Amino acid sequence: MTNASRKDPDGFRSLQTKGNGIKTQAIGFLLLDNFTLISLASAIEPLRMANQLAGHELYRWYTLTADGKPVSASDGLKVTPDVSLRTPLTLDMVVVCGGVGPHRSVQREHVAWLQGQARLSRRLGAICTGSWALAKAGLLDGYDVSTHWECMAAMREAFPRVELTTRLFCIDRDRATSSGGTAPLDMMLNLIAKDHGRELSAGISEMFICERVRNEQDQQRIPLLHVLGTTQPKLLESVALMEANLEEPIGLDELACYVGISRRQLERLFQKNLDCSPSRYYLKLRLTRARQLLKQTSMSIIEVASACGFVSTPHFSKCYREFFGFPPRDERIGNLQPVARLQVDALFKDAAFEVISGEPVSSALVALDQARGEPTYASVTVTK
């Protein structure tokens, strides 16, 4: 039997086959330094299981780094790639695997190689924060793009021509981008369904005990919805308006009017469900956004203050110090310092747990130390 194929409107090939005359698709996974291992596994494992369930090779994959040398994941584990960027490969798709600090991990070699792959009409994708590399190469302009929510503020500032969304993943023509964690699993299952039918995709999800394959309409990280469910629609609507208006904050009277309640009702909703006033919650959102911009961009403190709705830099600095315990200047200084190759003793000095003599050093300590510069480090209070 022959292999019949057609082009979907989104640019991804959908294979309709009879018998075993199916073209094997080759996918290259470009690993950036400090990529997230869970995202890589979530992307590759569905391909492995597709082959297993089909009984033949539908997909093959290669891991790549710039120089072919091992690269560290965000948890400190080192992964030895299959090849370097200089190795000639015939690929159907390239997926960039990002993680911690993509603006520091993307190198000139990555950008040049990705641009070369685009000229060869390769399909391009990204998982977690890997979309930063594609955007840096100018390959996402005008595309709907998903990235990890933690990276969205910096990407909006750095790449205004990229159409960022809050969806778990986006498949837009010949681009497929996903947020982090397990979201690449859903993206790959959807791509596999396009390639080889929903029966195979459903079989893979059953093997992975995945109760539901999420689609492109599913959104990433709506924390209040998870906390409150759907019992407080006015509160959820209010917070959504706040998040959409950080640069030019809405007055509380106006906000209450937009959601159709009185200001007193608005204040009661926030106090009862979030244990704070609406103005305090709004300030928290703006300062959290400011911290992301300070850590992930080269914007000046004045520019960050303006982008987050503060009328003056002194007022911004005062609010920032009161909320985080130090001024934004210290945040920026700490972020610009090069990452030190710490001695083991120095690394353990401020460790959150005791090191047992004679045991090998856990990579968890290195990962924890690297995470100190992340916007979400120590952002949640843990109680016993």
Side-chain angles (χ1 to χ4, degrees):
M1 295 290 184
T2 59
N3 186 33
S5 67
R6 61 181 175 81
K7 284 280 187 176
D8 277 344
D10 57 19
F12 280 84
R13 186 166 52 249
S14 178
L15 301 178
Q16 296 176 325
T17 63
K18 294 181 180 180
N20 292 333
I22 302 175
K23 177 184 181 297
T24 300
Q25 295 189 53
I27 302 178
F29 289 91
L30 174 58
L31 310 182
L32 302 181
D33 193 31
N34 283 321
F35 73 95
T36 51
L37 201 58
I38 188 173
S39 294
L40 176 64
S42 295
I44 289 181
E45 284 297 302
L47 306 179
R48 176 186 71 84
M49 190 54 64
N51 289 349
Q52 179 176 318
L53 294 182
H56 52 270
E57 189 183 39
L58 301 179
Y59 300 95
R60 68 180 55 155
W61 54 88
Y62 305 92
T63 53
L64 307 94
T65 61
D67 54 8
K69 295 180 180 178
V71 62
S72 293
S74 56
D75 57 9
L77 296 178
K78 285 190 176 294
V79 174
T80 301
D82 297 312
V83 294
S84 74
L85 298 186
R86 294 184 295 275
T87 305
L89 282 177
T90 300
L91 300 172
D92 295 286
M93 184 177 185
V94 172
V95 178
V96 185
C97 308
V100 176
H103 55 293
R104 296 189 298 268
S105 300
V106 177
Q107 304 168 14
R108 269 184 258 171
E109 295 92 334
H110 297 140
V111 170
W113 186 79
L114 289 169
Q115 290 170 339
Q117 295 299 303
R119 287 193 292 272
L120 293 170
S121 299
R122 308 283 194 244
R123 292 175 292 166
L124 301 174
I127 57 178
C128 196
T129 63
S131 53
W132 186 284
L134 293 178
K136 184 80 173 175
L139 301 174
L140 292 180
D141 291 356
Y143 284 89
D144 287 343
V145 172
S146 293
T147 191
H148 193 285
W149 60 265
E150 196 175 31
C151 190
M152 289 188 70
M155 278 199 68
R156 280 200 179 99
E157 296 292 336
F159 311 109
R161 299 174 69 180
V162 175
E163 301 294 331
L164 285 166
T165 79
T166 58
R167 298 199 295 260
L168 277 176
F169 64 90
C170 290
I171 300 173
D172 184 0
R173 291 161 285 170
D174 55 353
R175 303 287 187 267
T177 53
S178 167
S179 55
T182 59
L185 169 64
D186 299 279
M187 183 176 77
M188 286 301 185
L189 288 173
N190 278 266
L191 289 176
I192 289 169
K194 284 177 177 290
D195 286 343
H196 302 293
R198 299 213 168 272
E199 184 178 355
L200 179 58
S201 176
I204 297 169
S205 65
E206 287 180 6
M207 290 295 293
F208 291 161
I209 318 177
C210 178
E211 294 181 358
R212 181 176 78 88
V213 180
R214 296 173 290 185
N215 59 40
E216 285 188 81
Q217 304 311 313
D218 284 283
Q219 303 288 313
Q220 61 169 314
R221 193 181 180 253
I222 311 175
L224 277 182
L225 185 59
H226 293 302
V227 173
L228 302 175
T230 57
T231 60
Q232 300 295 340
K234 296 295 185 183
L235 181 57
L236 294 172
E237 187 179 355
S238 300
V239 172
L241 283 169
M242 289 178 175
E243 290 175 335
N245 293 275
L246 298 180
E247 187 169 355
E248 297 182 9
I250 305 173
L252 295 187
D253 288 329
E254 188 179 8
L255 183 63
C257 182
Y258 276 132
V259 298
I261 57 177
S262 69
R263 175 167 175 164
R264 178 167 289 187
Q265 287 174 310
L266 181 70
E267 290 172 341
R268 280 202 298 264
L269 273 177
F270 273 83
Q271 200 63 52
K272 178 181 178 181
N273 294 282
L274 301 176
D275 198 29
C276 69
S277 67
S279 57
R280 179 68 177 172
Y281 192 86
Y282 210 164
L283 178 63
K284 175 185 175 182
L285 291 176
R286 293 158 58 205
L287 289 171
T288 301
R289 170 72 178 276
R291 194 177 195 192
Q292 289 177 331
L293 294 177
L294 286 170
K295 285 180 169 294
Q296 298 177 7
T297 75
S298 59
M299 293 171 65
S300 69
I301 292 177
I302 296 175
E303 290 173 325
V304 170
S306 176
C308 297
F310 292 90
V311 295
S312 70
T313 304
H315 177 58
F316 167 60
S317 297
K318 178 177 180 293
C319 293
Y320 200 97
R321 180 192 290 272
E322 289 176 353
F323 193 83
F324 291 114
F326 46 84
R329 177 176 51 82
D330 288 359
E331 189 88 83
R332 173 51 54 80
I333 290 172
N335 192 45
L336 292 180
Q337 288 176 341
V339 178
R341 298 299 178 186
L342 300 176
Q343 298 294 326
V344 172
D345 290 344
L347 181 63
F348 292 160
K349 182 178 179 182
D350 297 321
F353 41 87
E354 183 181 358
V355 179
I356 301 174
S357 177
E359 289 194 358
V361 176
S362 169
S363 58
L365 275 178
V366 179
L368 181 60
D369 185 72
Q370 289 179 337
R372 292 177 188 272
E374 289 305 297
T376 49
Y377 183 80
S379 62
V380 177
T381 301
V382 181
T383 58
K384 293 183 179 180

